[in-house]
Amino acid sequence: MITLFESTDDDFSTMGMLTLHPTECTVSEEVNGKYELELTEPVNSRGTQLELFPGRIIKAPSPTRESPDIYRPEQGQTSVTYEIWRCSTSTRLYIRDAPNGHKIASLSNGDKVMKIAVDTTTIPGATWFKVTTMDESKTGFVYPNLNGESPYLVNTGTHKTIKSDTDIPSGEGIKFQLAKDQLFRIYSVEKVSEERAVKICANHISYDLLGIVATIGATNIDVSLGQLFQYFKQTGGSSSYQVSHNPGFIFTDYTNGRYKGTWNGANLLNILMDESSGILKQNKAQVIRDNFHIYIVPTADRFVGMNIRYGKNLLSASMKTDISEVITRIYPRGSLSNGNAFTAEEVDSPYINDYGILAKVVKYNYKAAGTTATSADKLAIQQLARKEYSDDKIDIPKYTMNATYIQQELSPEFVNLANKYSLHLHDNVRVYDPSVGIGTKDPRHPNAPIKDFTFTSYKYDVLKGKYTDMTFGDLEDIGK
Protein backbone atom coordinates (compact mmCIF):
# COMPACT_ATOMS: atom_id res chain seq x y z
CA MET A 1 0.00 0.00 0.00
CA ILE A 2 1.23 3.50 -0.87
CA THR A 3 -0.08 6.33 1.31
CA LEU A 4 0.32 10.12 1.47
CA PHE A 5 1.00 12.22 4.58
CA GLU A 6 1.12 15.94 5.28
CA SER A 7 4.58 17.52 5.41
CA THR A 8 4.32 18.14 9.18
CA ASP A 9 2.87 14.77 10.20
CA ASP A 10 4.71 12.77 12.85
CA ASP A 11 2.39 9.75 13.08
CA PHE A 12 3.09 7.35 10.21
CA SER A 13 1.34 4.39 11.85
CA THR A 14 -1.97 5.43 10.26
CA MET A 15 -3.35 5.38 6.71
CA GLY A 16 -2.35 9.03 6.32
CA MET A 17 -4.32 11.56 4.30
CA LEU A 18 -5.22 9.13 1.53
CA THR A 19 -4.14 6.05 -0.40
CA LEU A 20 -2.48 6.51 -3.78
CA HIS A 21 -3.13 4.26 -6.78
CA PRO A 22 -0.19 4.91 -9.12
CA THR A 23 0.34 3.28 -12.49
CA GLU A 24 4.10 3.33 -11.88
CA CYS A 25 6.17 3.50 -8.70
CA THR A 26 9.90 2.83 -8.59
CA VAL A 27 12.49 3.10 -5.81
CA SER A 28 16.18 3.55 -6.71
CA GLU A 29 19.08 3.29 -4.28
CA GLU A 30 22.87 3.24 -4.50
CA VAL A 31 25.36 2.11 -1.88
CA ASN A 32 26.13 5.18 0.28
CA GLY A 33 24.46 7.30 -2.40
CA LYS A 34 21.12 8.41 -3.77
CA TYR A 35 17.86 6.97 -2.44
CA GLU A 36 14.68 8.17 -4.15
CA LEU A 37 11.19 7.29 -5.34
CA GLU A 38 9.45 8.12 -8.63
CA LEU A 39 5.67 7.77 -8.91
CA THR A 40 3.00 8.41 -11.54
CA GLU A 41 -0.53 9.03 -10.24
CA PRO A 42 -3.23 9.05 -12.96
CA VAL A 43 -6.07 11.54 -13.08
CA ASN A 44 -8.99 9.92 -11.25
CA SER A 45 -12.40 10.73 -9.79
CA ARG A 46 -11.02 10.59 -6.22
CA GLY A 47 -8.81 13.57 -6.98
CA THR A 48 -5.71 12.01 -5.39
CA GLN A 49 -3.53 13.48 -8.13
CA LEU A 50 -4.44 16.97 -6.86
CA GLU A 51 -2.98 16.25 -3.41
CA LEU A 52 0.60 15.73 -4.53
CA PHE A 53 2.64 18.77 -3.46
CA PRO A 54 6.35 19.29 -2.75
CA GLY A 55 7.10 18.66 0.92
CA ARG A 56 4.41 16.06 1.48
CA ILE A 57 5.50 12.56 2.47
CA ILE A 58 4.83 9.24 0.75
CA LYS A 59 5.05 5.90 2.57
CA ALA A 60 5.86 2.97 0.29
CA PRO A 61 7.54 -0.45 0.52
CA SER A 62 11.26 -0.41 -0.30
CA PRO A 63 14.04 -3.02 -0.06
CA THR A 64 15.50 -2.60 3.43
CA ARG A 65 18.19 -4.72 4.99
CA GLU A 66 17.28 -6.18 8.38
CA SER A 67 17.95 -3.88 11.34
CA PRO A 68 21.54 -3.94 12.63
CA ASP A 69 20.00 -3.73 16.11
CA ILE A 70 19.19 -7.42 15.76
CA TYR A 71 22.62 -8.74 16.62
CA ARG A 72 23.60 -11.44 14.16
CA PRO A 73 26.61 -13.47 15.28
CA GLU A 74 29.58 -13.80 12.96
CA GLN A 75 30.97 -17.12 11.83
CA GLY A 76 32.13 -19.27 14.71
CA GLN A 77 30.23 -17.29 17.35
CA THR A 78 27.30 -18.56 19.35
CA SER A 79 23.70 -17.67 18.57
CA VAL A 80 21.79 -14.93 20.38
CA THR A 81 18.42 -15.31 22.09
CA TYR A 82 15.73 -12.64 22.55
CA GLU A 83 12.68 -12.55 24.82
CA ILE A 84 9.31 -12.61 23.05
CA TRP A 85 6.63 -10.25 24.38
CA ARG A 86 2.97 -9.98 23.39
CA CYS A 87 0.89 -6.82 22.98
CA SER A 88 -1.98 -6.79 25.47
CA THR A 89 -3.64 -3.91 23.65
CA SER A 90 -3.20 -1.87 20.51
CA THR A 91 -0.20 0.46 20.69
CA ARG A 92 2.24 2.42 18.53
CA LEU A 93 5.88 1.95 17.67
CA TYR A 94 7.85 5.16 18.25
CA ILE A 95 10.99 6.02 16.33
CA ARG A 96 12.68 7.19 19.52
CA ASP A 97 12.11 6.67 23.22
CA ALA A 98 9.83 9.67 23.76
CA PRO A 99 6.03 9.99 23.58
CA ASN A 100 6.34 13.13 21.43
CA GLY A 101 8.50 11.37 18.85
CA HIS A 102 7.54 10.12 15.41
CA LYS A 103 5.28 7.08 15.38
CA ILE A 104 6.30 4.73 12.58
CA ALA A 105 3.92 1.77 12.87
CA SER A 106 1.08 0.30 14.88
CA LEU A 107 0.88 -2.96 16.80
CA SER A 108 -2.37 -4.84 17.40
CA ASN A 109 -3.58 -6.74 20.43
CA GLY A 110 -1.91 -10.14 20.32
CA ASP A 111 1.05 -9.14 18.11
CA LYS A 112 4.37 -10.59 19.24
CA VAL A 113 7.68 -8.72 19.29
CA MET A 114 11.30 -9.42 20.22
CA LYS A 115 12.78 -7.22 22.95
CA ILE A 116 16.10 -5.81 21.71
CA ALA A 117 17.04 -3.31 24.42
CA VAL A 118 15.73 -1.41 27.47
CA ASP A 119 15.92 2.36 28.16
CA THR A 120 14.91 3.86 31.49
CA THR A 121 16.63 7.24 31.13
CA THR A 122 14.22 9.36 29.08
CA ILE A 123 11.16 9.76 31.29
CA PRO A 124 11.04 9.18 35.09
CA GLY A 125 8.88 6.16 35.83
CA ALA A 126 8.90 4.94 32.22
CA THR A 127 10.69 1.90 30.89
CA TRP A 128 11.01 1.87 27.12
CA PHE A 129 11.60 -1.32 25.19
CA LYS A 130 13.23 -1.27 21.79
CA VAL A 131 11.48 -4.06 19.91
CA THR A 132 11.10 -5.55 16.48
CA THR A 133 8.30 -7.60 15.02
CA MET A 134 8.94 -11.30 14.54
CA ASP A 135 9.63 -10.88 10.82
CA GLU A 136 11.85 -7.85 11.58
CA SER A 137 9.77 -5.65 9.27
CA LYS A 138 9.05 -3.04 11.98
CA THR A 139 11.50 -1.77 14.60
CA GLY A 140 10.97 0.94 17.19
CA PHE A 141 10.27 1.87 20.81
CA VAL A 142 7.26 1.07 22.97
CA TYR A 143 6.79 1.26 26.72
CA PRO A 144 5.43 -1.87 28.41
CA ASN A 145 3.81 0.34 31.09
CA LEU A 146 3.97 3.93 32.29
CA ASN A 147 3.56 5.13 35.89
CA GLY A 148 1.72 2.01 36.97
CA GLU A 149 -0.77 1.92 34.10
CA SER A 150 -2.00 -1.38 32.66
CA PRO A 151 0.80 -3.08 30.71
CA TYR A 152 1.03 -2.70 26.94
CA LEU A 153 3.39 -5.68 26.67
CA VAL A 154 3.35 -9.00 28.49
CA ASN A 155 6.28 -11.41 28.63
CA THR A 156 5.29 -14.67 26.95
CA GLY A 157 8.09 -16.61 28.61
CA THR A 158 9.30 -17.79 25.19
CA HIS A 159 12.35 -16.84 23.14
CA LYS A 160 13.65 -16.55 19.58
CA THR A 161 17.19 -17.52 18.67
CA ILE A 162 19.10 -15.63 15.99
CA LYS A 163 21.80 -17.70 14.30
CA SER A 164 24.69 -16.67 12.09
CA ASP A 165 23.64 -15.31 8.69
CA THR A 166 27.16 -15.48 7.26
CA ASP A 167 27.96 -19.18 7.44
CA ILE A 168 25.69 -20.39 4.65
CA PRO A 169 26.40 -23.44 2.46
CA SER A 170 26.61 -22.69 -1.25
CA GLY A 171 23.23 -22.90 -2.92
CA GLU A 172 21.20 -22.02 0.16
CA GLY A 173 19.55 -18.65 0.67
CA ILE A 174 18.52 -16.53 3.64
CA LYS A 175 14.83 -15.73 3.65
CA PHE A 176 15.04 -12.14 4.85
CA GLN A 177 12.19 -9.67 4.59
CA LEU A 178 12.84 -8.02 1.22
CA ALA A 179 10.91 -4.77 1.67
CA LYS A 180 9.32 -2.71 4.41
CA ASP A 181 7.66 0.70 4.50
CA GLN A 182 9.95 3.70 4.02
CA LEU A 183 9.17 7.42 3.96
CA PHE A 184 9.96 9.70 1.01
CA ARG A 185 9.52 13.49 0.87
CA ILE A 186 8.31 14.91 -2.46
CA TYR A 187 10.69 17.42 -4.02
CA SER A 188 9.39 17.62 -7.61
CA VAL A 189 5.86 17.55 -9.09
CA GLU A 190 5.20 17.44 -12.84
CA LYS A 191 1.65 17.70 -14.18
CA VAL A 192 1.34 16.14 -17.65
CA SER A 193 -1.96 16.93 -19.38
CA GLU A 194 -1.52 14.67 -22.41
CA GLU A 195 -0.72 11.66 -20.19
CA ARG A 196 -3.56 12.54 -17.80
CA ALA A 197 -1.21 12.04 -14.88
CA VAL A 198 0.92 13.71 -12.22
CA LYS A 199 4.53 12.56 -11.86
CA ILE A 200 6.51 13.09 -8.68
CA CYS A 201 10.05 12.56 -7.47
CA ALA A 202 10.76 12.14 -3.77
CA ASN A 203 13.91 11.76 -1.67
CA HIS A 204 14.18 9.30 1.18
CA ILE A 205 13.32 10.96 4.49
CA SER A 206 17.01 10.80 5.47
CA TYR A 207 17.57 13.69 3.04
CA ASP A 208 15.89 15.90 5.64
CA LEU A 209 19.39 15.97 7.17
CA LEU A 210 20.25 18.51 4.46
CA GLY A 211 18.19 21.06 6.37
CA ILE A 212 19.80 20.42 9.76
CA VAL A 213 22.84 22.66 10.27
CA ALA A 214 25.52 22.75 12.96
CA THR A 215 25.11 26.22 14.50
CA ILE A 216 27.27 26.28 17.64
CA GLY A 217 30.76 24.90 18.15
CA ALA A 218 34.23 24.90 16.65
CA THR A 219 34.73 25.19 12.91
CA ASN A 220 36.57 21.86 12.82
CA ILE A 221 36.37 18.93 15.22
CA ASP A 222 38.01 15.56 15.84
CA VAL A 223 35.69 13.33 17.91
CA SER A 224 34.39 9.79 18.17
CA LEU A 225 31.18 9.05 16.28
CA GLY A 226 29.48 8.38 19.60
CA GLN A 227 30.29 11.92 20.74
CA LEU A 228 29.40 13.39 17.35
CA PHE A 229 25.96 11.79 17.43
CA GLN A 230 25.42 13.34 20.86
CA TYR A 231 26.09 16.73 19.23
CA PHE A 232 23.45 15.88 16.61
CA LYS A 233 20.83 15.75 19.39
CA GLN A 234 21.70 19.06 21.07
CA THR A 235 19.44 21.94 20.04
CA GLY A 236 19.42 24.30 23.02
CA GLY A 237 20.63 25.10 26.50
CA SER A 238 24.29 25.65 27.35
CA SER A 239 25.75 22.89 25.18
CA SER A 240 29.01 23.84 23.48
CA TYR A 241 27.97 22.03 20.29
CA GLN A 242 24.47 22.38 18.88
CA VAL A 243 22.46 21.90 15.70
CA SER A 244 19.58 23.99 14.37
CA HIS A 245 16.97 21.32 15.10
CA ASN A 246 16.49 17.55 15.10
CA PRO A 247 13.14 16.16 13.94
CA GLY A 248 13.77 12.80 15.59
CA PHE A 249 16.65 11.14 13.76
CA ILE A 250 18.41 8.32 15.60
CA PHE A 251 22.08 7.70 14.76
CA THR A 252 23.77 4.45 15.75
CA ASP A 253 27.44 3.66 15.24
CA TYR A 254 28.61 0.05 15.01
CA THR A 255 32.14 0.91 13.82
CA ASN A 256 33.70 2.60 16.89
CA GLY A 257 34.71 5.22 14.35
CA ARG A 258 35.75 8.88 14.43
CA TYR A 259 35.02 12.04 12.49
CA LYS A 260 37.66 14.68 11.76
CA GLY A 261 36.41 17.59 9.71
CA THR A 262 34.11 20.58 9.37
CA TRP A 263 31.42 21.18 12.01
CA ASN A 264 30.08 24.72 12.44
CA GLY A 265 28.04 25.70 9.38
CA ALA A 266 27.93 22.23 7.84
CA ASN A 267 24.71 20.30 7.26
CA LEU A 268 24.44 16.83 8.76
CA LEU A 269 23.99 15.02 5.44
CA ASN A 270 27.35 16.29 4.18
CA ILE A 271 29.03 15.40 7.47
CA LEU A 272 27.66 11.91 7.04
CA MET A 273 28.03 11.21 3.33
CA ASP A 274 30.43 13.68 1.68
CA GLU A 275 32.35 11.60 -0.86
CA SER A 276 35.75 13.04 0.05
CA SER A 277 35.58 13.71 3.78
CA GLY A 278 32.33 12.37 5.28
CA ILE A 279 31.90 9.86 8.08
CA LEU A 280 31.42 6.98 5.65
CA LYS A 281 34.57 7.83 3.68
CA GLN A 282 36.77 8.34 6.74
CA ASN A 283 35.68 5.10 8.42
CA LYS A 284 35.32 2.93 5.30
CA ALA A 285 31.78 2.31 6.49
CA GLN A 286 28.36 1.86 4.96
CA VAL A 287 25.05 3.44 5.86
CA ILE A 288 21.76 1.60 6.32
CA ARG A 289 18.83 4.01 6.10
CA ASP A 290 15.63 2.85 7.77
CA ASN A 291 13.32 5.87 7.91
CA PHE A 292 14.61 8.06 10.78
CA HIS A 293 17.12 5.43 11.90
CA ILE A 294 20.60 5.98 10.44
CA TYR A 295 23.01 3.10 11.07
CA ILE A 296 26.76 3.35 10.46
CA VAL A 297 28.13 -0.16 10.10
CA PRO A 298 31.43 -1.65 8.91
CA THR A 299 31.67 -2.53 5.25
CA ALA A 300 31.46 -6.30 5.44
CA ASP A 301 30.93 -9.06 2.93
CA ARG A 302 27.86 -11.26 3.20
CA PHE A 303 27.50 -14.13 0.78
CA VAL A 304 23.86 -15.22 0.68
CA GLY A 305 24.28 -18.37 -1.37
CA MET A 306 23.60 -17.00 -4.87
CA ASN A 307 25.69 -18.27 -7.76
CA ILE A 308 25.58 -16.87 -11.30
CA ARG A 309 27.11 -19.17 -13.89
CA TYR A 310 27.75 -18.54 -17.57
CA GLY A 311 25.50 -20.72 -19.70
CA LYS A 312 22.94 -21.01 -16.90
CA ASN A 313 21.86 -17.64 -15.54
CA LEU A 314 24.60 -15.34 -16.81
CA LEU A 315 24.53 -14.19 -20.41
CA SER A 316 27.75 -12.19 -20.49
CA ALA A 317 30.35 -10.64 -18.22
CA SER A 318 33.70 -8.91 -18.46
CA MET A 319 36.29 -8.72 -15.68
CA LYS A 320 39.35 -6.48 -15.54
CA THR A 321 42.53 -7.22 -13.59
CA ASP A 322 44.66 -4.14 -12.82
CA ILE A 323 48.08 -4.14 -11.09
CA SER A 324 48.76 -0.41 -11.56
CA GLU A 325 48.48 0.18 -7.79
CA VAL A 326 50.11 -3.07 -6.65
CA ILE A 327 53.15 -2.78 -4.33
CA THR A 328 55.51 -5.76 -4.02
CA ARG A 329 58.48 -4.19 -2.19
CA ILE A 330 58.34 -1.81 0.79
CA TYR A 331 61.27 0.19 2.17
CA PRO A 332 60.02 0.84 5.72
CA ARG A 333 61.00 3.96 7.68
CA GLY A 334 60.45 5.09 11.25
CA SER A 335 61.51 8.03 13.43
CA LEU A 336 64.23 8.34 16.05
CA SER A 337 63.71 10.24 19.29
CA ASN A 338 65.45 13.30 17.81
CA GLY A 339 63.10 13.34 14.82
CA ASN A 340 65.50 11.88 12.29
CA ALA A 341 64.35 9.00 10.11
CA PHE A 342 65.74 5.46 10.14
CA THR A 343 65.30 2.70 7.58
CA ALA A 344 65.13 -1.09 7.81
CA GLU A 345 65.80 -3.64 5.08
CA GLU A 346 63.17 -3.93 2.38
CA VAL A 347 60.20 -6.25 2.84
CA ASP A 348 59.06 -8.17 -0.24
CA SER A 349 55.63 -9.53 -1.08
CA PRO A 350 55.29 -13.27 -1.72
CA TYR A 351 53.98 -12.26 -5.17
CA ILE A 352 57.04 -10.23 -6.20
CA ASN A 353 58.07 -12.80 -8.82
CA ASP A 354 54.61 -12.69 -10.39
CA TYR A 355 54.27 -8.92 -10.79
CA GLY A 356 57.88 -7.76 -10.65
CA ILE A 357 59.50 -5.26 -8.31
CA LEU A 358 56.99 -2.48 -7.62
CA ALA A 359 58.65 -0.54 -4.82
CA LYS A 360 57.51 2.14 -2.39
CA VAL A 361 59.06 3.95 0.58
CA VAL A 362 56.59 3.97 3.49
CA LYS A 363 57.10 6.04 6.64
CA TYR A 364 55.29 4.49 9.60
CA ASN A 365 54.05 6.18 12.74
CA TYR A 366 56.73 4.49 14.85
CA LYS A 367 59.17 6.35 17.11
CA ALA A 368 62.28 4.72 18.57
CA ALA A 369 63.25 5.41 22.16
CA GLY A 370 66.79 6.48 21.33
CA THR A 371 68.78 8.41 18.75
CA THR A 372 69.99 5.18 17.14
CA ALA A 373 67.71 2.46 15.80
CA THR A 374 68.04 -0.94 17.48
CA SER A 375 67.38 -4.29 15.81
CA ALA A 376 64.03 -4.35 17.66
CA ASP A 377 63.10 -0.98 16.16
CA LYS A 378 63.90 -2.18 12.66
CA LEU A 379 61.99 -5.42 13.19
CA ALA A 380 58.95 -3.42 14.39
CA ILE A 381 58.66 -1.35 11.20
CA GLN A 382 59.28 -4.46 9.07
CA GLN A 383 56.32 -6.08 10.82
CA LEU A 384 54.20 -3.05 9.96
CA ALA A 385 55.21 -3.48 6.32
CA ARG A 386 54.24 -7.18 6.34
CA LYS A 387 50.81 -6.22 7.68
CA GLU A 388 50.30 -4.11 4.55
CA TYR A 389 50.48 -7.34 2.55
CA SER A 390 48.54 -9.60 4.94
CA ASP A 391 45.83 -7.16 6.04
CA ASP A 392 45.53 -4.48 3.36
CA LYS A 393 46.51 -6.76 0.45
CA ILE A 394 48.42 -4.04 -1.37
CA ASP A 395 50.14 -6.78 -3.37
CA ILE A 396 46.89 -8.14 -4.84
CA PRO A 397 45.53 -6.74 -8.14
CA LYS A 398 42.23 -4.89 -8.27
CA TYR A 399 39.40 -6.78 -9.95
CA THR A 400 36.42 -4.97 -11.38
CA MET A 401 33.41 -5.94 -13.47
CA ASN A 402 31.73 -3.98 -16.22
CA ALA A 403 28.64 -3.23 -14.12
CA THR A 404 26.65 -1.52 -16.87
CA TYR A 405 27.13 -4.47 -19.18
CA ILE A 406 26.01 -6.90 -16.48
CA GLN A 407 22.98 -4.80 -15.67
CA GLN A 408 21.85 -4.88 -19.29
CA GLU A 409 22.54 -8.56 -19.74
CA LEU A 410 21.16 -10.03 -16.50
CA SER A 411 18.80 -12.84 -17.28
CA PRO A 412 15.24 -12.88 -15.91
CA GLU A 413 16.18 -16.03 -14.01
CA PHE A 414 18.81 -14.13 -12.05
CA VAL A 415 16.44 -11.28 -11.16
CA ASN A 416 13.98 -13.90 -9.91
CA LEU A 417 16.72 -15.43 -7.75
CA ALA A 418 17.61 -12.02 -6.32
CA ASN A 419 14.03 -11.49 -5.24
CA LYS A 420 13.76 -15.03 -3.88
CA TYR A 421 16.86 -14.63 -1.74
CA SER A 422 15.98 -11.08 -0.63
CA LEU A 423 19.29 -9.69 -1.82
CA HIS A 424 20.15 -6.30 -0.32
CA LEU A 425 22.81 -3.68 -0.99
CA HIS A 426 26.33 -4.78 0.00
CA ASP A 427 25.40 -8.45 -0.30
CA ASN A 428 27.72 -10.54 -2.47
CA VAL A 429 27.03 -13.02 -5.26
CA ARG A 430 29.52 -15.35 -6.89
CA VAL A 431 29.96 -15.24 -10.66
CA TYR A 432 31.49 -18.06 -12.73
CA ASP A 433 32.74 -18.31 -16.28
CA PRO A 434 35.60 -20.82 -16.06
CA SER A 435 36.37 -20.55 -19.77
CA VAL A 436 37.85 -17.08 -19.21
CA GLY A 437 38.79 -17.50 -15.55
CA ILE A 438 35.97 -15.52 -13.94
CA GLY A 439 35.23 -16.90 -10.48
CA THR A 440 38.10 -19.40 -10.53
CA LYS A 441 41.33 -19.58 -8.59
CA ASP A 442 44.47 -17.97 -9.97
CA PRO A 443 46.73 -21.01 -10.52
CA ARG A 444 49.72 -18.98 -9.35
CA HIS A 445 48.00 -18.17 -6.05
CA PRO A 446 45.92 -21.22 -5.04
CA ASN A 447 45.48 -19.84 -1.51
CA ALA A 448 44.21 -16.45 -2.64
CA PRO A 449 40.49 -15.85 -2.02
CA ILE A 450 37.95 -16.12 -4.82
CA LYS A 451 36.43 -12.75 -5.69
CA ASP A 452 32.75 -11.95 -5.37
CA PHE A 453 30.59 -9.21 -6.88
CA THR A 454 28.98 -6.70 -4.54
CA PHE A 455 25.39 -5.53 -5.06
CA THR A 456 25.78 -1.74 -5.38
CA SER A 457 22.51 -0.30 -6.73
CA TYR A 458 19.01 -1.26 -7.78
CA LYS A 459 15.67 -0.22 -9.15
CA TYR A 460 12.68 -1.74 -7.36
CA ASP A 461 9.16 -1.93 -8.77
CA VAL A 462 6.96 -1.14 -5.76
CA LEU A 463 3.76 -2.28 -7.51
CA LYS A 464 5.19 -5.68 -8.46
CA GLY A 465 7.28 -6.02 -5.32
CA LYS A 466 10.51 -6.99 -7.04
CA TYR A 467 13.81 -5.73 -8.40
CA THR A 468 13.87 -4.75 -12.06
CA ASP A 469 17.47 -3.49 -12.50
CA MET A 470 20.54 -4.46 -10.50
CA THR A 471 24.13 -3.24 -10.69
CA PHE A 472 27.26 -4.84 -9.29
CA GLY A 473 30.42 -2.89 -8.50
CA ASP A 474 33.98 -3.72 -7.49
CA LEU A 475 34.75 -7.24 -6.44
CA GLU A 476 35.41 -7.89 -2.77
CA ASP A 477 37.65 -10.48 -1.16
CA ILE A 478 35.78 -13.22 0.67
CA GLY A 479 38.67 -13.96 2.95
CA LYS A 480 39.84 -10.47 3.87
Side-chain angles (χ1 to χ4, degrees):
M1 183 177 293
I2 303 171
T3 49
L4 182 68
F5 292 82
E6 189 52 85
S7 60
T8 55
D9 280 349
D10 65 0
D11 185 354
F12 302 101
S13 64
T14 70
M15 299 291 289
M17 299 171 56
L18 52 86
T19 299
L20 298 172
H21 299 275
T23 54
E24 295 180 352
C25 185
T26 302
V27 172
S28 303
E29 185 181 8
E30 298 175 357
V31 165
N32 293 353
K34 76 169 186 177
Y35 192 179
E36 64 181 26
L37 174 145
E38 295 182 355
L39 177 147
T40 300
E41 182 76 358
V43 172
N44 58 79
S45 59
R46 299 178 300 276
T48 54
Q49 76 280 1
L50 301 176
E51 300 297 331
L52 296 171
F53 294 105
R56 284 186 169 171
I57 297 170
I58 291 175
K59 183 169 75 172
S62 172
T64 308
R65 192 162 177 166
E66 70 281 0
S67 171
D69 292 325
I70 312 299
Y71 172 69
R72 296 183 179 278
E74 300 295 330
Q75 288 177 323
Q77 293 181 309
T78 58
S79 58
V80 179
T81 300
Y82 295 97
E83 294 177 357
I84 297 177
W85 289 63
R86 176 178 52 80
C87 295
S88 57
T89 185
S90 297
T91 187
R92 306 284 176 83
L93 269 181
Y94 291 81
I95 288 177
R96 57 193 177 101
D97 47 355
N100 60 346
H102 293 297
K103 294 172 278 292
I104 196 62
S106 60
L107 298 173
S108 301
N109 187 359
D111 285 351
K112 293 181 179 179
V113 295
M114 290 188 290
K115 184 179 76 172
I116 304 169
V118 177
D119 185 350
T120 60
T121 61
T122 306
I123 301 176
T127 298
W128 288 86
F129 282 6
K130 191 168 190 178
V131 302
T132 186
T133 52
M134 299 303 291
D135 63 359
E136 302 179 29
S137 64
K138 302 173 184 176
T139 302
F141 289 89
V142 64
Y143 41 76
N145 58 70
L146 180 63
N147 296 324
E149 294 180 5
S150 299
Y152 293 95
L153 295 177
V154 176
N155 195 334
T156 66
T158 58
H159 301 81
K160 180 177 179 180
T161 298
I162 306 295
K163 298 181 179 180
S164 171
D165 68 13
T166 58
D167 189 13
I168 304 165
S170 178
E172 295 185 12
I174 311 172
K175 303 301 172 56
F176 291 135
Q177 181 82 12
L178 176 60
K180 59 180 176 180
D181 288 336
Q182 295 292 318
L183 303 175
F184 299 86
R185 190 180 296 278
I186 300 173
Y187 70 84
S188 170
V189 177
E190 180 184 7
K191 301 173 182 179
V192 188
S193 297
E194 58 270 29
E195 295 184 22
R196 309 298 294 161
V198 175
K199 298 183 177 182
I200 67 97
C201 295
N203 282 325
H204 187 261
I205 199 69
S206 58
Y207 280 72
D208 281 7
L209 293 171
L210 274 171
I212 305 176
V213 180
T215 55
I216 297 178
T219 302
N220 295 289
I221 56 175
D222 183 358
V223 296
S224 69
L225 293 188
Q227 182 63 63
L228 179 68
F229 293 158
Q230 287 298 317
Y231 295 167
F232 283 5
K233 297 179 182 179
Q234 295 167 179
T235 58
S238 59
S239 302
S240 300
Y241 289 85
Q242 296 183 26
V243 296
S244 57
H245 65 291
N246 188 339
F249 282 98
I250 300 290
F251 296 86
T252 307
D253 172 41
Y254 285 98
T255 66
N256 295 317
R258 295 189 67 81
Y259 172 71
K260 182 179 182 180
T262 303
W263 169 255
N264 203 330
N267 69 67
L268 301 198
L269 191 66
N270 281 346
I271 291 175
L272 175 66
M273 298 181 66
D274 185 87
E275 293 182 357
S276 61
S277 60
I279 290 171
L280 303 180
K281 177 69 173 180
Q282 292 186 31
N283 294 278
K284 297 180 180 178
Q286 68 187 71
V287 63
I288 297 177
R289 295 165 282 194
D290 186 359
N291 291 312
F292 291 89
H293 289 267
I294 309 296
Y295 299 97
I296 311 301
V297 299
T299 298
D301 298 334
R302 182 174 75 171
F303 178 59
V304 296
M306 283 185 58
N307 295 319
I308 314 172
R309 187 177 295 274
Y310 183 76
K312 182 180 178 183
N313 50 15
L314 176 68
L315 297 182
S316 181
S318 66
M319 187 171 73
K320 178 182 178 181
T321 304
D322 184 356
I323 68 167
S324 62
E325 297 181 15
V326 165
I327 302 298
T328 58
R329 173 169 290 175
I330 295 176
Y331 291 91
R333 290 183 179 177
S335 298
L336 299 172
S337 60
N338 59 10
N340 293 335
F342 73 92
T343 303
E345 289 187 6
E346 69 271 14
V347 178
D348 287 347
S349 159
Y351 302 140
I352 193 167
N353 292 330
D354 295 324
Y355 306 124
I357 299 176
L358 302 168
K360 184 178 182 180
V361 175
V362 180
K363 186 173 182 180
Y364 294 103
N365 186 23
Y366 177 89
K367 191 169 187 177
T371 57
T372 302
T374 65
S375 58
D377 292 326
K378 294 180 179 180
L379 179 61
I381 61 173
Q382 286 178 320
Q383 287 294 94
L384 291 173
R386 292 187 181 96
K387 285 177 67 67
E388 300 249 33
Y389 299 134
S390 62
D391 295 357
D392 297 333
K393 296 181 172 57
I394 64 171
D395 54 348
I396 298 294
K398 291 186 180 297
Y399 297 85
T400 57
M401 175 167 279
N402 186 326
T404 303
Y405 189 65
I406 288 180
Q407 179 179 328
Q408 293 172 348
E409 297 296 330
L410 280 175
S411 67
E413 180 181 354
F414 172 71
V415 175
N416 290 337
L417 282 171
N419 287 292
K420 173 184 175 183
Y421 287 108
S422 295
L423 196 68
H424 290 109
L425 292 185
H426 277 284
D427 286 345
N428 285 351
V429 297
R430 194 163 295 169
V431 179
Y432 294 99
D433 186 352
S435 64
V436 293
I438 295 178
T440 60
K441 292 282 189 180
D442 185 333
R444 298 177 303 176
H445 314 308
N447 296 321
I450 294 176
K451 307 290 183 175
D452 277 12
F453 295 89
T454 302
F455 186 18
T456 57
S457 69
Y458 66 79
K459 288 186 179 179
Y460 178 80
D461 188 323
V462 176
L463 303 183
K464 295 180 180 178
K466 66 179 185 179
Y467 292 119
T468 55
D469 289 310
M470 310 177 73
T471 303
F472 295 83
D474 288 351
L475 296 175
E476 300 289 341
D477 289 333
I478 290 214
K480 68 184 178 184

